Amino acid sequence: IPLILFLHGKSLSGNDLNRVKRYGILKAVEKGLDIPAIIVAPQLPSGPWNAQKLNDLLNYVSKEYLVDESRIYVTGMSLGSYGTTRFVGEFPDKVAAAVSICGGGLESDACNLAQVPMKIIHGDKDFIVPISESKKVVNAIKKCNSNAPIEFDVVKGGNHGSVEGIYRHMEIYDWLFQH
């Protein structure tokens, strides 16, 4: 069974797991979207996502459930987008594909990010995390490998919150599952 790791943004951090349902993949499932995958949506108490801890979590889930380890996907929004690029940057061999929404990442991860099919999505009216954060990562990836399997989608008129609606449509999951 494929696995999708969803990393939320800073506003959902804390210690009330129900907060993670406020937007993103769990909200989509709650609204009736049938995603044929194991969905892992941890909650971050505070601070940034930690790639090593996420890897430990995935190793645990893979031992407990019938995870197809060639079909592990990572997606995140805002702070979760930074967590997504950090995880892929640290463990590119574990991830079949990734979607990073309204965030950014470390340019030093670019050559590892270039090894994984990625869709980076950002609204051009995002005043919380500027689109330049995504552009910086995309440019670093292309500098490392001009043929990297990266797609950069700019959502015209999209602000920091509105782009989240992508999670409520199967297209994003179909894109992940083709990898």
Side-chain angles (χ1 to χ4, degrees), residues 36-163:
I38 294 169
I39 297 166
V40 177
Q43 186 178 36
L44 187 63
S46 63
W49 287 100
N50 178 307
Q52 186 57 59
K53 285 184 180 175
L54 291 169
N55 190 51
D56 294 346
L57 174 63
L58 286 182
N59 288 339
Y60 171 80
V61 173
S62 293
K63 276 192 205 99
E64 298 296 316
Y65 299 92
L66 293 172
V67 173
D68 178 347
E69 295 194 31
S70 70
R71 297 183 73 206
I72 291 177
Y73 308 100
V74 184
T75 183
M77 188 166 170
S78 191
L79 181 67
S81 162
Y82 287 89
T84 296
T85 56
R86 190 74 269 279
F87 183 81
V88 175
E90 193 82 22
F91 301 101
D93 51 328
K94 281 199 96 142
V95 181
V99 175
S100 176
I101 300 177
C102 295
L106 300 175
E107 290 171 281
S108 56
D109 283 337
C111 291
N112 281 349
L113 294 171
Q115 299 171 36
V116 176
M118 282 191 78
K119 193 181 269 279
I120 294 180
I121 304 167
H122 214 117
D124 66 356
K125 298 281 186 265
D126 189 332
F127 301 111
I128 309 288
V129 177
I131 194 168
S132 58
E133 286 292 293
S134 282
K135 285 180 180 169
K136 188 173 67 174
V137 175
V138 170
N139 290 338
I141 292 168
K142 289 189 173 179
K143 189 173 164 190
C144 182
N145 176 0
S146 59
N147 295 316
I150 178 122
E151 294 177 30
F152 182 40
D153 297 345
V154 175
V155 179
K156 296 280 179 226
N159 64 34
H160 197 65
S162 68
V163 179

